């Protein structure tokens, strides 16, 4: 009997859990993480057993969820929203044998690693398309929260647009939520009313795509390809495929090579940032510029935050022939030249 129990124990699958901010059917951010979870299951089969909890708010309630998942025997837990950071820090100290991974965060620990896409690459390319397709020279951006990872996106989109059209202006609206289709739709309608004929978003629903489709303007998806919500409206989008990372990290836990205190950033080159298909209405000349710049990003010869860069007041923030420092990149809280208004406090 002892032999049987040891064999059964040895065959026990690694329990891997995912904590989601929104519903798995949100059409964007959470949907992409859950698609990657399913790919992880398909890749590693009986070696693992995954579970997920959806609609977990970025409040003290998330601490309860992480604590319960760890107590239930999950040895690898992926926390898929920025606002889980403090809860994760607390729970990780209580469960030192559990490995935690946090998306878009900046606090690591011996059993916490951080991972994030190079979103700025995708948004720079969105800007390259928007700058060529706009007729009003007015672009819009629906922001969630003015945290550095989102500030980088509005800035890099503006820089991409300016690289092909020095006349463009960017109008941002901040909705202070990741997922609220009503608020997102209202912001899109407002931006379109203000003359923006190409609107991007850093929120999770396809509401802005639907608004643009109805109004005859352009939009860009984030996280997932949302073209099914507006085939004429969506020009492209910056999406993510998390599966390569989830498979690689889970394999590390299985073979004992996983370590904490890491910060991993993957972009287009690594396949974590994936551009949605280009709208066939984009002229061939504009497509070529897009593809050339995309290839330069992959080759490492185009950095969206290479100088010279001025802020919206005209002050030089990154000198010519220099790249933005890591400290500035990780704490970015200012608009580049071309963005209207002031950053919310």
């Amino acid at each position: 009997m002892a032999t049987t129990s040891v064999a059964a124990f040895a065959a026990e699958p690694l329990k891997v859990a995912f904590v989601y901010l929104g519903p798995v059917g949100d059409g964007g951010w959470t949907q992409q993480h859950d698609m990657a979870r399913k790919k992880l299951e398909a890749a590693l089969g009986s070696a693992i057993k995954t579970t997920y909890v959806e609609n977990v708010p970025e409040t003290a309630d998330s601490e309860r969820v992480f604590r319960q998942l760890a107590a239930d025997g999950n040895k690898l837990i992926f926390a898929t929203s920025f606002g889980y950071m403090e809860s994760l820090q607390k729970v990780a100290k209580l469960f030192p044998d559990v490995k935690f991974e946090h998306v878009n965060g900046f606090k690591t620990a011996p059993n916490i690693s951080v991972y994030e896409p190079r979103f700025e690459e995708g948004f720079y390319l969105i800007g390259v398309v928007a700058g060529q397709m706009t007729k009003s020279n007015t672009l819009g951006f629906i922001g969630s929260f003015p945290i550095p990872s989102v500030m980088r996106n509005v800035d890099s989109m503006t820089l991409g647009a300016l690289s092909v059209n020095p006349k463009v202006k960017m109008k941002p609206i901040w909705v202070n939520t990741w997922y609220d289709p009503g608020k997102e739709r209202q912001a899109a309608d407002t931006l379109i009313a203000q003359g923006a004929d190409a609107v991007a978003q850093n929120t999770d629903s396809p509401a802005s795509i639907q608004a643009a489709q109805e109004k005859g303007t352009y939009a860009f998806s984030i996280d997932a390809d949302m073209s099914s919500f507006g085939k004429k409206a969506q020009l492209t989008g910056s999406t993510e495929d998390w599966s390569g990372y989830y498979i690689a990290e889970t394999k590390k836990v299985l073979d004992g090579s996983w370590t904490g205190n890491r910060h991993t950033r993957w972009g287009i080159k690594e396949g974590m940032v994936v551009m949605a298909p280009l709208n066939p209405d984009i002229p061939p000349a504009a497509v070529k510029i897009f593809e050339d710049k995309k290839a330069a990003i992959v080759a490492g010869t185009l950095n969206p935050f290479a100088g010279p860069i001025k802020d919206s007041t005209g002050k030089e923030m990154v000198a010519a022939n220099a790249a933005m420092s890591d400290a500035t990149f990780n704490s970015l809280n200012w608009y580049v030249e071309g963005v209207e208004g002031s950053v919310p406090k």
Side-chain angles (χ1 to χ4, degrees):
M1 286 298 292
T3 305
T4 305
S5 62
V6 169
F9 179 77
E12 197 71 23
L14 174 72
K15 295 178 76 173
V16 184
F18 292 79
V19 179
Y20 299 146
L21 177 69
V24 293
D26 68 351
W29 177 260
T30 295
Q31 173 184 291
Q32 291 301 99
H33 284 285
D34 202 55
M35 284 174 61
R37 179 188 65 82
K38 291 173 182 174
K39 289 182 182 178
L40 170 65
E41 282 189 332
L44 299 184
S46 60
I48 64 169
K49 183 175 190 288
T50 75
T51 188
Y52 68 87
V53 185
E54 59 186 333
N55 295 313
V56 178
E58 295 172 317
T59 62
D61 196 45
S62 66
E63 184 179 334
R64 177 190 60 78
V65 172
F66 290 125
R67 192 189 299 256
Q68 187 61 55
L69 287 168
D72 286 345
N74 291 283
K75 294 301 182 184
L76 176 60
I77 298 175
F78 291 99
T80 69
S81 196
F82 173 80
Y84 296 148
M85 187 159 60
E86 299 307 326
S87 293
L88 210 61
Q89 291 290 316
K90 291 178 183 177
V91 177
K93 289 173 183 167
L94 300 174
F95 295 90
D97 295 333
V98 176
K99 280 78 171 168
F100 296 89
E101 299 244 8
H102 182 214
V103 76
N104 295 348
F106 54 82
K107 291 185 177 181
T108 61
N111 61 331
I112 299 177
S113 280
V114 167
Y115 63 106
E116 65 177 317
R118 295 187 181 276
F119 292 111
E120 71 278 3
E121 295 178 353
F123 273 88
Y124 183 90
L125 292 173
I126 281 175
V128 168
V129 174
Q132 296 181 89
M133 294 297 286
T134 179
K135 295 180 175 62
S136 66
N137 289 326
T138 302
L139 310 180
F141 184 92
I142 302 169
S144 47
F145 299 93
I147 57 177
S149 61
V150 181
M151 291 297 300
R152 294 196 293 259
N153 292 341
V154 65
D155 281 351
S156 58
M157 178 181 171
T158 306
L159 292 169
L162 288 170
S163 76
V164 294
N165 181 352
K167 296 177 181 177
V168 296
K169 292 291 181 186
M170 172 68 78
K171 290 179 179 287
I173 287 182
W174 297 92
V175 292
N176 295 308
T177 181
W178 292 110
Y179 179 75
D180 185 328
K183 277 190 177 179
E184 295 170 58
R185 174 61 190 248
Q186 188 176 32
D189 287 342
T190 300
L191 287 166
I192 293 168
Q194 292 176 352
D197 60 357
V199 175
Q201 65 185 58
N202 211 143
T203 48
D204 296 351
S205 90
S208 65
I209 311 289
Q210 294 166 317
Q213 180 78 8
E214 291 173 20
K215 299 278 174 55
T217 57
Y218 295 128
F220 301 89
S221 64
I222 184 174
D223 305 324
D225 179 3
M226 299 176 179
S227 57
S228 62
F229 296 94
K231 290 198 178 297
K232 291 290 288 183
Q234 181 177 300
L235 293 176
T236 184
S238 179
T239 79
E240 299 93 45
D241 182 350
W242 305 94
S243 61
Y245 184 81
Y246 288 156
I247 292 167
E249 292 298 294
T250 305
K251 284 181 176 177
K252 287 177 185 175
V253 176
L254 287 169
D255 67 22
S257 64
W258 191 95
T259 57
N261 287 317
R262 287 177 294 128
H263 190 150
T264 302
R265 298 193 79 239
W266 283 4
I268 294 173
K269 180 180 179 181
E270 296 84 1
M272 183 177 275
V273 176
V274 181
M275 300 308 293
L278 295 177
N279 189 310
D281 288 345
I282 301 173
V287 171
K288 184 177 188 313
I289 291 171
F290 170 89
E291 294 294 354
D292 287 350
K293 286 182 178 283
K294 179 181 173 185
I297 287 173
V298 171
T301 57
L302 194 167
N303 174 354
F305 286 112
I309 297 175
K310 294 179 180 179
D311 70 10
S312 57
T313 69
K315 178 184 176 184
E316 183 176 88
M317 304 299 282
V318 183
N321 302 315
M324 183 179 284
S325 70
D326 287 345
T328 301
F329 183 86
N330 291 326
S331 61
L332 191 65
N333 63 352
W334 44 267
Y335 289 143
V336 297
E337 198 168 40
V339 184
E340 297 183 347
S342 56
V343 179
K345 301 301 181 190

